[in-house]
Amino acid sequence: MSATTLKPHQRELWGHPVGLYILFFTEMWERFSYYGMRALLTLYLVEKTTADNPGLGWLDSESIMLYGWYTMLVYVMSIPGGMIADKFLGQKKAVLYGALILVAGHGILAFEPMWAFYTGLGLIVLGVGLLKPNISTMVGGLYKQGDIRRDKGFSIFYIGINLGSLLATFIVGYVGEKIGWHYGFGLAGIAMLFGLMVYMYGQKFLINVGNKPTEEDKKTDVSLGKLFGDLMKSPLNLVIVLLIIGYAFYAGFSYDGIDSWGYTALYIFIALVAGVMMMIYKNLETQVSRDRYLVLLLSFLIVIVFWGAFEQAGGLMSIYTKTKTDRTLFGWDIPATWFQGLNAGFIIIFATIVAGYWAKRKLKGKEASSLFKMAVGTMIMGLGFVFMIFAASEYNANGSSGMQWLVLAYLFHTIGELCSSPVALSFITKLAPVKYASLMMGVYFAATGLGNKVAGVIGESASEFGEYAIFSGITIFTVLFGLLVILLLKPLKRLTHGAEDNEREISSDETEGFELADSEAN
């Protein structure tokens, strides 16, 4: 079939569906707004109120604590966001409503009163929860099962994420640090408006993905009512959930700090998610789907470990860059926020190179499974903290550390991320039960959020143990964890039942039938 006779949603550009590039630019502007906010948040919180560009004057530990809770909630809300899409809206409308909420949230942050600050953060949490898991699910839906282009498509999509991040850290970071924090927050809102406009323009290229669930789809019941009904029928499941809830209340009464009851809410949430996960396992109809589901749950653990280390970038490493790094270059003081842009810049440079390396390795019959990539990525990222150990040692000796350690650390973090994160996104779309696709993507982002919270807890402890001990501990743990996954690789691959075998590139003509059938089904 010639390109001229293809419908808009069947057309390809540079070997991929045009819809991929619509989602690429939508996500690019959404990530511009999010990472612009992320680049400024901890620095705004710790900046003295007497400064030329005053912040809130919080302690380092207080700012990292809020950073951990905020970045966790942003991703944890992906679970209800995925459920709402699966049950009611479909991914396409969920992304639209999420974008609208994000525009409002970032816009409110442009105002200075504290009510605006907390309201804006709350709206961003809700908006990202609707948008993030569902736009990623739509990317996976553009490709037929077994299409080797899927991993490459997610890598291209990942470039969009990081192009937005790169632009945000340079533009929003500079505006926020040098002109005014709230001007930077407002600029992030304008970027999100651009993303919304791109998404609305590109709807004709997304006809076959993310549509409203059918009545058959809605029969998949993951409501809290059915959850508790199933738990009452399964004593083991009920005991597990009740034990977690019991510990949640213990945390509220016994933990020190103003966020003790925040942990109570978190543990109750984890208990409910655990109940949902057990319920889904029981409802799966075949042993193959159950085995794949177990591997999927393990991949979420890898995600938590990865992001628990990686997300020091926006918290502990951001403050370290601001306060303990010599950032002078040719007499000019480089803004601290710009160093967070190194990650995004390196991703843009290396994303297709890393994806191409793994694709060629797989075609040659060498080990290139998603779990292997994620384990290797975790170890490479962890080794990046070796350079932060050198930085901490230099600071302890001289009172400041050189910029080169940050550059090298971000380079290793980036290579590790490219081996792990886009692969994890693609892996979920391969293993997740179809009727729970958005929910599983939501759980993935919730795992990312829990990793962010772990990063916050680790960063807070630096005030007690010191950066040298924290960076050393992260390095040792991530390398050992990655090696453990590799040791367990063979039995884990058996449980996937060949989900990644026989992948190949699928043409437009082959894709047409599945797209039309999918469109009619929705």
Side-chain angles (χ1 to χ4, degrees):
M1 182 178 290
S2 66
T4 55
T5 60
L6 291 173
K7 295 180 180 179
H9 69 278
Q10 298 170 317
R11 294 174 189 168
E12 292 187 355
L13 179 64
W14 299 319
H16 290 272
V18 175
L20 174 66
Y21 302 100
I22 298 299
L23 299 177
F24 172 103
F25 284 107
T26 303
E27 182 75 347
M28 184 192 81
W29 286 116
E30 186 274 329
R31 291 290 90 182
F32 182 101
S33 67
Y34 174 76
Y35 280 104
M37 170 64 191
R38 175 181 176 271
L40 299 179
L41 182 58
T42 54
L43 300 182
Y44 168 65
L45 293 173
V46 301
E47 186 64 69
K48 293 181 174 62
T49 56
T50 56
D52 294 335
N53 183 19
L56 298 183
W58 289 17
L59 297 174
D60 289 359
S61 58
E62 293 173 335
S63 65
I64 293 175
M65 179 182 70
L66 178 64
Y67 172 81
W69 282 110
Y70 165 69
T71 52
M72 181 197 72
L73 289 172
V74 159
Y75 290 109
V76 164
M77 286 303 294
S78 294
I79 290 183
M83 292 176 69
I84 289 170
D86 280 341
K87 293 286 290 178
F88 305 108
L89 299 177
Q91 291 92 21
K92 197 149 44 184
K93 284 189 177 179
V95 170
L96 175 63
Y97 295 152
L100 289 168
I101 294 171
L102 281 169
V103 170
H106 284 291
I108 290 174
L109 281 173
F111 299 96
E112 295 188 7
M114 287 304 295
W115 69 263
F117 178 70
Y118 288 115
T119 302
L121 290 183
L123 288 174
I124 292 173
V125 166
L126 295 175
V128 174
L130 275 175
L131 185 147
K132 190 68 178 166
N134 296 305
I135 196 169
S136 298
T137 302
M138 290 172 68
V139 172
L142 294 170
Y143 300 93
K144 188 176 181 179
Q145 194 71 28
D147 190 341
I148 199 172
R149 297 181 304 166
R150 184 183 300 219
D151 280 4
K152 293 181 182 179
F154 271 103
S155 293
I156 292 171
F157 181 68
Y158 215 68
I159 292 175
I161 292 173
N162 288 280
L163 180 58
S165 174
L166 178 65
L167 294 172
T169 48
F170 281 98
I171 299 173
V172 177
Y174 180 85
V175 170
E177 277 196 84
K178 302 299 183 182
I179 300 176
W181 302 108
H182 294 280
Y183 287 105
F185 296 150
L187 183 59
I190 294 173
M192 189 61 246
L193 183 60
F194 287 154
L196 177 62
M197 293 168 62
V198 169
Y199 185 69
M200 294 180 70
Y201 163 77
Q203 291 298 295
K204 62 184 177 181
F205 299 106
L206 303 169
I207 292 174
N208 63 310
V209 292
N211 294 302
K212 189 175 180 180
T214 63
E215 290 303 316
E216 184 64 27
D217 296 328
K218 291 180 181 180
K219 292 179 182 178
T220 303
D221 188 1
V222 290
S223 66
L224 290 179
K226 188 175 189 304
L227 165 62
F228 286 114
D230 285 352
L231 289 176
M232 294 303 292
K233 299 174 184 177
S234 174
L236 176 61
N237 292 358
L238 182 59
V239 168
I240 292 172
V241 172
L242 289 179
L243 283 175
I244 300 175
I245 292 176
Y247 186 79
F249 284 99
Y250 169 78
F253 285 108
S254 63
Y255 280 20
D256 294 329
I258 59 175
D259 60 343
S260 60
W261 286 101
Y263 280 103
T264 298
L266 173 60
Y267 293 145
I268 291 174
F269 176 79
I270 291 174
L272 296 177
V273 172
V276 171
M277 295 299 100
M278 289 185 288
M279 182 192 72
I280 291 174
Y281 180 81
K282 289 180 61 178
N283 289 342
L284 295 177
E285 297 174 353
T286 66
Q287 189 60 45
V288 170
S289 61
R290 288 186 174 188
D291 288 345
R292 289 176 174 176
Y293 183 73
L294 291 176
V295 177
L296 191 61
L297 295 182
L298 174 66
S299 74
F300 295 150
L301 178 60
I302 301 174
V303 167
I304 293 172
V305 171
F306 182 91
W307 292 108
F310 182 93
E311 274 300 322
Q312 299 303 321
L316 180 60
M317 286 178 65
S318 179
I319 294 175
Y320 186 93
T321 304
K322 179 78 171 179
T323 59
K324 297 184 177 181
T325 302
D326 180 3
R327 294 177 282 111
T328 303
L329 183 66
F330 303 121
W332 182 59
D333 192 35
I334 301 175
T337 52
W338 283 19
F339 285 87
Q340 293 188 45
L342 288 171
N343 171 243
F346 285 141
I347 282 178
I348 293 169
I349 294 170
F350 293 109
T352 55
I353 296 173
V354 172
Y357 166 78
W358 287 114
K360 289 179 182 178
R361 182 180 172 89
K362 187 176 184 69
L363 291 173
K364 290 179 180 178
K366 296 181 179 180
E367 181 59 60
S369 63
S370 293
L371 288 172
F372 181 73
K373 295 177 193 175
M374 292 166 72
V376 170
T378 300
M379 290 191 291
I380 293 173
M381 181 274 302
L383 290 172
F385 282 97
V386 170
F387 301 106
M388 295 309 300
I389 295 172
F390 294 154
S393 298
E394 186 175 321
Y395 175 82
N396 292 336
N398 304 323
S400 68
S401 61
M403 292 181 288
Q404 73 274 12
W405 305 122
L406 285 168
V407 175
L408 290 169
Y410 278 118
L411 174 61
F412 272 65
H413 290 180
T414 299
I415 300 301
E417 182 183 0
L418 287 171
C419 292
S420 181
S421 189
V423 172
L425 287 170
S426 180
F427 193 49
I428 290 166
T429 64
K430 296 172 186 175
L431 294 189
V434 175
K435 59 185 178 180
Y436 297 108
S438 290
L439 176 58
M440 289 299 101
M441 192 63 74
V443 175
Y444 163 78
F445 285 113
T448 302
L450 290 174
N452 277 260
K453 181 55 185 168
V454 170
V457 172
I458 294 172
E460 288 177 58
S461 65
S463 60
E464 179 180 356
F465 298 105
E467 287 90 351
Y468 184 91
I470 297 301
F471 295 144
S472 299
I474 292 173
T475 302
I476 294 169
F477 181 81
T478 51
V479 171
L480 291 178
F481 181 84
L483 289 173
L484 177 61
V485 174
I486 290 175
L487 288 174
L488 297 173
L489 193 60
K490 285 188 178 179
L492 291 174
K493 286 179 64 177
R494 284 197 295 268
L495 290 176
T496 66
H497 295 278
E500 296 185 295
D501 294 345
N502 303 317
E503 289 183 324
R504 63 191 181 87
E505 196 161 315
I506 293 176
S507 67
S508 300
D509 291 342
E510 290 179 278
T511 305
E512 179 193 359
F514 114 85
E515 288 176 333
L516 291 176
D518 185 68
S519 179
E520 291 169 1
N522 287 296

